[in-house]
Amino acid sequence: MIFSDRIWPNLASWSSESTVPDYLYLYDPIPTPKPTKDVVSEPDTKPRYHKVNTVVSVLAMPISHGQCRTGHAHAAAGTYTSTAFFIRHNTTEKQFLFFGDVEPDSLATSPLTKDVWRVAASLINSTLPDGQRQLDSIFIECSWPSSRSDNELFGHLNPQHLLQEMKTLARYVRKIRAPTSSPLESTATTGSTTNADTNPVEVPKKRRRLTLFKRHSRDKSVSSKMSDASISSTAIGLASSGNSSTPAPIQEELRAALKGVKLYLTHFKAPMQPSQGVKNGRLTQRIADEVKELVFKEGLGLEVIAMEQGMRICK
């Protein structure tokens, strides 16, 4: 009864047929093709960014939102697919990342969020001509408090799982920043090596920052634009090539790896029963405080911000 188009009205339609009332909005889906290894060897592949208008383009990537076990009229049995959007300002190339509903990769039958983190890490490490990071804002849900068990998350995140997702992102960020290693370079990282007389000899350090995206040139005469084709053939391709598993912990500390990145928390659920930390009928402050405490203990450097209705986030 509630979803009969009377109490909860339909405002949009997927169909453009003449039988559909003309007062309904028409969905214009943004494609979310799954990355394939072929993208790496096909630089002229179809651009991944979808131009919404002259100002904004969007890169949409699929993520997992839990399991539908029985299937129904709106979804077949299997993994619910949601979407993460990299939203780009076409003139400045500044971006932010906005997640739909998402479950932890550690619980997902089809873990897809790791591919999003690979792309995000590259953008975090990319600097625009004005000195800003290309991406420094992430909007992601944290629906439940820490007390919510895994089998009751229903395709959503709680603070502990969100922390693990942030640590995965931090590993990718550090992995991109780390120099390529060789036996000589591994020794050189200590600042010296020894000759036959065991006298310390300084070894010059040659370090190159790695990134999935082309870095903006320091030479202002060189265009700072990154083509959609380059996005397609590098970052998105790399998201599925090689080892697709979540990266193993690296030796380098993750402390301050995400310094300067703002993490905006969204989609707070209402408590099922009276609970502490409830504000405006939701567990906003309690969940935000739990995330802040976990992030602080890990020293990731994230700024955690709980989204509120009507909040202004622009400068």
Side-chain angles (χ1 to χ4, degrees):
M1 181 65 183
I2 293 177
F3 301 102
S4 65
D5 197 26
R6 304 181 74 172
I7 296 176
W8 188 293
N10 289 327
L11 302 177
S13 173
W14 291 101
S15 175
S16 59
E17 296 181 0
S18 58
T19 55
V20 176
D22 56 10
Y23 60 81
L24 293 179
Y25 287 101
L26 181 64
Y27 284 116
D28 183 15
I30 297 173
T32 57
K34 287 188 177 181
T36 64
K37 293 183 180 180
D38 294 338
V39 175
V40 177
S41 58
E42 296 180 8
D44 297 325
T45 189
K46 186 177 180 180
R48 300 291 180 171
Y49 273 88
H50 178 87
K51 190 172 183 179
V52 177
N53 53 43
T54 58
V55 178
V56 173
S57 293
V58 175
L59 170 63
M61 297 186 68
I63 51 179
S64 177
H65 177 34
Q67 290 288 308
C68 178
R69 292 181 174 81
T70 58
H72 52 78
H74 301 290
T79 300
Y80 276 118
T81 300
S82 183
T83 308
F85 298 94
F86 289 90
I87 302 175
R88 181 183 71 186
H89 185 258
N90 292 331
T91 302
T92 65
E93 292 194 1
K94 186 72 174 179
Q95 302 192 33
F96 66 89
L97 172 58
F98 195 98
F99 276 82
D101 293 341
V102 60
E103 69 175 334
D105 262 3
S106 60
L107 301 180
T109 302
S110 302
L112 300 172
T113 308
K114 63 185 185 301
D115 295 335
V116 178
W117 296 140
R118 285 190 179 99
V119 178
S122 182
L123 291 169
I124 289 171
N125 279 310
S126 180
T127 305
L128 296 171
D130 63 2
Q132 295 188 66
R133 287 178 172 176
Q134 192 162 13
L135 185 144
D136 61 11
S137 297
I138 299 172
F139 296 78
I140 191 168
E141 66 136 281
C142 193
S143 298
W144 304 110
S146 299
S147 57
R148 193 80 172 183
S149 62
D150 288 355
N151 63 348
E152 293 183 320
L153 291 177
F154 304 119
H156 295 286
L157 295 173
N158 67 7
Q160 289 92 342
H161 285 296
L162 178 56
L163 175 67
Q164 294 307 313
E165 295 295 334
M166 290 299 100
K167 290 174 71 173
T168 298
L169 171 60
R171 291 187 183 104
Y172 284 130
V173 168
R174 281 296 173 88
K175 186 175 182 179
I176 292 173
R177 291 177 186 170
T180 55
S181 60
S182 67
L184 177 61
E185 289 174 338
S186 298
T187 306
T189 56
T190 64
S192 65
T193 184
T194 56
N195 58 17
D197 297 324
T198 68
N199 295 323
V201 177
E202 292 296 325
V203 178
K205 299 177 183 179
K206 293 184 65 177
R207 297 191 176 190
R208 182 182 299 276
R209 293 181 181 274
L210 304 178
T211 178
L212 302 182
F213 289 94
K214 294 182 179 178
R215 285 191 176 276
H216 298 286
S217 173
R218 291 187 178 90
D219 184 354
K220 294 297 190 292
S221 65
V222 179
S223 172
S224 65
K225 299 292 185 182
M226 297 190 301
S227 67
D228 285 335
S230 70
I231 299 291
S232 305
S233 60
T234 54
I236 308 304
L238 288 171
S240 63
S241 63
N243 185 3
S244 61
S245 62
T246 301
I250 55 179
Q251 296 300 315
E252 188 176 2
E253 288 287 335
L254 300 181
R255 186 168 301 279
L258 300 179
K259 185 177 181 180
V261 177
K262 298 181 180 66
L263 184 68
Y264 293 93
L265 305 182
T266 67
H267 204 267
F268 305 102
K269 295 289 189 181
M272 300 296 184
Q273 56 190 9
S275 177
Q276 292 183 346
V278 176
K279 183 178 179 181
N280 297 326
R282 297 186 182 276
L283 292 162
T284 305
Q285 198 56 53
R286 176 179 167 186
I287 293 172
D289 287 345
E290 290 176 353
V291 174
K292 289 177 182 178
E293 181 180 359
L294 291 170
V295 167
F296 177 77
K297 286 181 178 178
E298 293 292 334
L300 297 179
L302 280 166
E303 179 182 355
V304 180
I305 303 166
M307 293 298 294
E308 297 280 3
Q309 189 172 5
M311 177 186 290
R312 292 180 62 86
I313 59 174
C314 58
K315 295 181 179 178

